[in-house]
Amino acid sequence: MSLPRMGLGCMELSHAYGVAPSPEDGARMLRTALDDGVRLLDTATLYGGGRNEELVGRALKGRRDDAVLASKGGMAMVDGVKTIDGRPATLKAQVDASLGRLGVERIDLYYLHRWDKTVPIAESVGALAEAVEAGKIGAIGLSEVSVARLHEALEVAPIAAVQNEYSLWSRNPELGMLDATREAGVALVAFSPVARGFLAGGVADPEALAPKDIRRNMPRFQPDHWPANAALLPAWHALAVEAGCTPAQLALAWVLSRGSHVVAIPGTTSLDHLRENRAGESLAVAPEILARAGDLIDTATVSGPRYNAAQSDEVDAETFEDAA
C-alpha cells in the first residue's frame, strides 16, 4: 500500500507524554489536522487504554475517506498493566475491539505492536492475515522488530510497513532494517522522528517533565546522560538556523532523506507544531547540511541507550549494544 511521506502519531493526545489535552480539544485538533491535509493517522490499542482509538474515531466520524487509518494490537493495558500478547485469539479479539472503538468497518493498516517472544511470529501474522481476508484490515504492519523477524513474517503474508523508532539520535534501523525494508518494498515508518522532543527544543529540563511522562524512565533524559546530550543542542540549533528552518523541521528533513520508502509520524498536542512539522516535509535542505546533522547527532555523540533494561526486553529491533 502507498503511505503519505508524513503522518500524525496520535499517542500524545491520550497517553505517555505529560498531561493529555481534553478529549474535546484532542478531537478538535485531529479534525483540524484533516482539514490541513494530514492523511495518515496512527493510533493503537495500547494508547490511553483504548481511549486514543475512540478519540480518533470521533474525529473521523463522517469523513472516514479523508485518512489512511493505522492502528496496532498485540500490546494492551490488561488490569492496569501493559501486556504483550501475540496469541492469535488475542489479536483477533483486539482487531474487533479496535474496529468498535474507531467506529469503522476496516482499518487500513494494522500493526503487531510488539512481537510476543513466547509466540512464533508466523502465528501472530497468520491471525492478522485472516483479518485481511475477512476485510477487517487492509494491510499488515510490524513494530519494533528485527530484520530476521521481518523475513519470517514475509514468509507468511505480505507486510506493508515496519514501524520502528528512527531519528538522528536513534539509528537502530541502520543496522539492517533500512536496507531490508527498501529491498522488500516495505515502508519504514519512523516513530519519534524528532527524538521524543529533544531535537525540537521540547525538553529544557527533564526534571520539569510531568510525573508520568515516559521520558523520565528513558536513560537519555536521566542525570547520567542528560548533561552530555544537552551540550549538543546549541550547535544543533545553530545548524537549523543555517538551514533556514526550525530544529524540528531539520530533524524531519533528515529522516525523510534516508529513503523514498521512509515515512515520518511525529506526534504533538499542538496545532502550531503540527503545521511546523508538516512544512518540514517539503523543505529542500542542502545535502551538506543533512550530512553535518548526521555527524552532530549520532550514536557516537549521544549519551545513553534509547531504552532502559525493562523496555529493551520488550523490543526485537537490532541494538547497537548487541552489535558492539
Side-chain angles (χ1 to χ4, degrees):
M1 68 183 301
S2 176
L3 295 176
R5 291 301 308 280
M6 189 180 295
L8 176 63
C10 299
M11 179 180 74
E12 292 179 48
L13 297 171
S14 307
H15 179 90
Y17 289 107
V19 179
S22 69
E24 294 76 19
D25 287 343
R28 189 177 303 112
M29 178 185 160
L30 286 173
R31 286 192 290 268
T32 304
L34 293 172
D35 292 341
D36 282 3
V38 172
R39 290 294 174 263
L40 172 61
L41 299 180
D42 184 275
T43 181
T45 295
L46 176 72
Y47 302 161
R51 294 191 304 276
N52 195 250
E53 286 182 319
E54 293 172 353
L55 176 64
V56 172
R58 285 197 297 275
L60 279 176
K61 190 172 183 180
R63 52 191 310 180
R64 173 64 183 88
D65 293 339
D66 286 352
V68 175
L69 177 58
S71 193
K72 311 176 194 73
M75 184 160 64
M77 297 302 294
V78 179
D79 297 327
V81 179
K82 183 173 67 175
T83 303
I84 296 173
D85 185 347
R87 291 174 297 176
T90 299
L91 289 172
K92 291 176 183 178
Q94 288 182 352
V95 167
D96 288 341
S98 290
L99 289 168
R101 286 189 292 265
L102 289 160
V104 299
E105 296 181 353
R106 181 176 181 268
I107 299 167
D108 299 308
L109 174 59
Y110 200 86
Y111 294 91
L112 181 66
H113 202 162
R114 292 290 187 273
W115 172 44
D116 180 347
K117 297 176 183 179
T118 69
V119 178
I121 199 166
E123 294 183 14
S124 299
V125 171
L128 295 180
E130 291 181 17
V132 171
E133 292 173 4
K136 295 179 179 181
I137 65 177
I140 301 169
L142 307 171
S143 183
E144 286 284 28
V145 295
S146 63
V147 172
R149 230 57 57 208
L150 170 61
H151 288 160
E152 290 176 15
L154 284 167
E155 292 179 1
V156 178
I159 302 298
V162 171
Q163 183 178 138
N164 283 10
E165 183 173 359
Y166 192 27
S167 69
L168 281 156
W169 86 342
S170 290
R171 304 290 190 92
N172 303 67
E174 295 174 7
L175 295 173
M177 186 57 76
L178 184 64
D179 290 338
T181 47
R182 181 189 296 110
E183 291 164 4
V186 174
L188 176 60
V189 179
F191 75 83
S192 296
V194 295
R196 302 187 183 274
F198 173 75
L199 294 175
V203 185
D205 177 8
E207 291 300 316
L209 294 172
K212 293 185 178 181
D213 193 303
I214 61 171
R215 289 170 290 189
R216 283 184 167 271
N217 293 319
M218 293 180 170
R220 292 172 181 173
F221 294 98
Q222 294 176 340
D224 286 349
H225 302 290
W226 175 253
N229 293 330
L232 298 170
L233 290 174
W236 169 249
H237 292 160
L239 187 60
V241 170
E242 185 178 345
C245 62
T246 69
Q249 289 171 338
L250 180 56
L252 290 167
W254 183 89
V255 169
L256 293 175
S257 76
R258 307 307 290 167
S260 60
H261 69 303
V262 177
V263 174
I265 52 167
T268 183
T269 60
S270 162
L271 188 57
D272 287 342
H273 290 164
L274 172 75
R275 288 169 172 162
E276 174 190 343
N277 292 342
R278 289 203 70 230
E281 180 180 356
S282 57
L283 281 177
V285 179
E288 182 265 340
I289 289 183
L290 292 174
R292 286 163 58 196
D295 290 338
L296 176 63
I297 310 292
D298 190 7
T299 303
T301 63
V302 170
S303 180
R306 68 186 182 114
Y307 285 143
N308 62 31
Q311 293 163 333
S312 295
D313 286 344
E314 296 176 351
V315 304
D316 177 52
E318 288 81 5
T319 69
F320 285 92
E321 291 78 16
D322 290 339

